[in-house]
Amino acid sequence: MKELTTALKTGLTGELTVPGDKSISHRAIMLGALAEGTTTIHNFLQSKDCLSTLKAFQDLGVEIDNQIDVVTVRGVGLNGLKQPQKPLDMGNSGTTTRLIMGILAAQRFQTDLFGDDSLSKRPLDRVCQPLRQMGAKIESKTDKLPLTIEPSQIKPITYDLPVASAQVKSAVILAGLFAQGKTQIIEKQPTRDHTKRLLNTFAPDTIQTQADKITVNPPKQLVGQTVEIPSDISSAAFFMVAAATLPNSDLTLKAISLNKTRTGLLKVLEKMGVQLTFKNQRNLSGEPVADVQVKTSQLNAIELKESDIPAMIDELPIIALLCSFANGTSKITGAQELRVKETDRIAAVVTEFKKLGIAITELPDGFIIEGKPELTIVNPQLSSHKDHRIGMTLAIAALKANQSLELADAEYVGISYPSFFEDLEKVMR
Ligand code: S3P
């Protein structure tokens, strides 16, 4: 049980650089491993999920030197991975699992994958289906972990994504690198495009997009790069919401990715009436970034629907908290994907917010939230539900509470943000 900081009288002030982007960190290791030559990664996210990816590629025979500040990957080329000595441990990481499946489907050796209890309940049929169409041999009773991937020859397909998922899109792209011919993916609802951006720096023109059609042109080789990873907007989100809602806040989050497939939260903040200022706009390894200043603001309620969701999917728990402090009733729908995250995030948000006295109604695909300025605690024993983003959302909520609160399974924040509580201390002073 972790005692949370409550009843914060001051706002959040100063500057904060949150750790590197989780999605880009996974992809930098994967592409670095498949490249010819050395890839040097700066600002790699040293969190449990990303370390699952790093370790898996070490087990696949890739030399990776993790010096914390700099990670050096000695690429083995597209055909250089080796059969691991033991099953690969995916930990809690859905991104590691779904993306690596695309790569492993095309190898000449068999691999076994397993993960923790939460990950073993999450659906993989969404990845198995297109990969099997490409010729992959994936053995699993329920299309969940544990599973076995057998050697196969990958062929190109045209795949119409049935679910808005960057992980599924990326699995097909990565398998497509090994196909004899062009793979095409139809993506009606745009999702994060980091695989495309990074891949095109390792092998220009590998991915082309035209309207909703993504074409993978299998490259002869990827060439090792220096990758500078921007700060993760999904981690900065907790501080942005805290700064917007706590009195007298003036906080600048440095080097945040402004990739429009990820900036749904910024649009939501602005629409709800939050003052944002963008400074020092620049480019880091193909991603637009800026320093984002957030000040305390009066908040209006908001309505979010299915087409809004992919660009803010991981921020929805903290957006729900933002809505709970707005004037009026907010409604979020079309977010059924939250049901299959690290925990059922709709159920977890509703259960925990009720303990905080927030008037929230559960919908099959979202929530209705009535805003009010203060919390009225009903039950001070909170739980992260072993989900990093639920844990961090509750830690931010606690800052507004007028009595002590405890959080069970708080250590799960380390899945994406090991220094979260220390960073929060820094900006509270
Ligand atoms: C991710 C894609 C999203 C997101 C996850 C990271 C990625 O998942 O929720 O945290 O790096 O591709 P889905 O593909 O399931 O939407």
Side-chain angles (χ1 to χ4, degrees), residues 22-23 27 95 98 164-167 192 313-314 341 389:
K22 180 156 88 69
S23 293
R27 288 155 170 83
T95 309
R98 297 197 177 111
S165 164
Q167 293 177 353
R192 65 192 69 193
I313 182 71
D314 291 337
K341 294 295 177 189
R389 300 198 203 281

Side-chain angles (χ1 to χ4, degrees), residues 4 27-28 60 123 131 150 182 212 267 295 299 316 318 331 352 391 429:
L4 296 173
R27 288 155 170 83
L60 285 160
L131 293 180
E150 284 170 10
K182 295 182 185 200
D212 62 0
K267 282 199 199 145
K295 291 188 183 168
L299 302 168
L316 287 169
I318 193 71
K331 188 172 179 188
E352 299 305 312
R429 270 185 242 122

